[in-house]
Amino acid sequence: MRAVLGAGARTLVASLWPADDTTTHRVVDGFYARLRELGPAAALRETQLAQLAQTPHPYYWAPFVVIGGR
């Protein structure tokens, strides 16, 4: 994380623990579909809420966080 942000990235989306591949694919797709309209934090939040409705266990939607600014 520090290296990526130190190299100039403004924002990083990271997983706090190993995540399910299928769910990760859905979260990343949903995140990028919403990113331009909502910004990183809101895009991830909306995507996680959508994933929560499909798979309620936090293992599937909770490991993802936005770090940094815009």
Side-chain angles (χ1 to χ4, degrees):
M1 171 183 72
R2 191 176 316 183
V4 172
L5 294 173
R10 294 184 301 185
T11 307
L12 177 68
V13 176
S15 175
L16 298 175
W17 58 80
D20 176 71
D21 288 342
T22 302
T23 306
T24 299
H25 185 275
R26 288 186 203 139
V27 169
V28 170
D29 281 353
F31 172 76
Y32 278 109
R34 295 170 173 92
L35 180 60
R36 201 175 287 266
E37 178 185 340
L38 301 174
L44 182 60
R45 181 181 187 280
E46 292 298 318
T47 300
Q48 286 176 314
L49 290 173
Q51 191 61 44
L52 170 65
Q54 292 178 355
T55 50
H57 195 283
Y59 168 78
Y60 295 101
W61 55 266
F64 305 99
V65 294
V66 172
I67 302 164
R70 304 170 36 117

